[in-house]
Amino acid sequence: MEMIKDFEDGQHVFNQLLVTQVDKCVTTQGRSYLNVTLQDSSGSILGKKWDVFDGDLEVFKEGNIVAVEGEVLKYKGSLQFKIISGAQVSVSDVDVTKFVPQAPVPREELEKKLNAYMDSLEDKELQK
């Protein structure tokens, strides 16, 4: 799975990403499109779905994990994701920790440090 932080201009991507925000918009020509914020544990990217079909609002709904295909493009100095297609993925089929930011230090290491600090307290009541 390619991480968002590693996306490059011109790259074709087929990936599973979390939908964190969706806005239905209208072009100056009156055509509907979607602004979709997509996320994984490495970051987020703004996606544009220019051709909106029946069912797209159900697929690209906040909180859904979606298998998306698209192109990474640079626009005004930032990367965007041009969404070609998407399909909802069942949460039971994926590890949801791949879609949310995580602490830079593993949980086990943090627990170990906390326990060491607690053990270093001289007051036994405070240790409890």
Side-chain angles (χ1 to χ4, degrees):
M1 183 167 113
E2 186 83 23
M3 303 302 284
I4 288 174
K5 70 176 180 62
D6 299 322
F7 284 3
E8 295 179 1
D9 184 25
Q11 182 178 7
H12 188 87
V13 174
F14 185 82
N15 211 345
Q16 293 179 349
L17 298 168
L18 173 66
V19 177
T20 60
Q21 184 175 349
V22 180
D23 295 308
K24 187 174 180 182
C25 306
V26 179
T27 67
T28 55
Q29 293 83 25
R31 296 185 61 200
S32 294
Y33 70 96
L34 300 177
N35 272 337
V36 183
T37 303
L38 301 164
Q39 173 179 299
D40 65 18
S41 62
S42 74
S44 63
I45 190 168
L46 176 62
K48 301 275 189 183
K49 177 97 171 60
W50 294 108
D51 298 317
V52 180
F53 300 104
D54 292 340
D56 279 346
L57 285 175
E58 280 301 308
V59 171
F60 295 98
K61 185 185 282 187
E62 289 180 22
N64 282 357
I65 295 172
V66 180
V68 291
E69 179 181 8
E71 300 286 332
V72 179
L73 306 168
K74 189 171 257 186
Y75 179 73
K76 293 187 177 181
S78 296
L79 293 179
Q80 286 188 356
F81 190 70
K82 179 182 174 186
I83 300 169
I84 297 169
S85 65
Q88 186 175 353
V89 176
S90 173
V91 175
S92 63
D93 294 337
V94 295
D95 177 5
V96 293
T97 62
K98 294 180 180 178
F99 303 99
V100 292
Q102 298 176 5
V105 180
R107 178 183 176 145
E108 296 79 22
E109 187 177 329
L110 292 174
E111 286 176 349
K112 190 185 232 181
K113 284 183 180 183
L114 177 61
N115 289 332
Y117 291 135
M118 290 173 44
D119 290 342
S120 71
L121 295 173
E122 293 179 14
D123 186 325
K124 297 299 175 191
E125 286 300 310
L126 287 176
Q127 278 184 352
K128 290 182 187 178

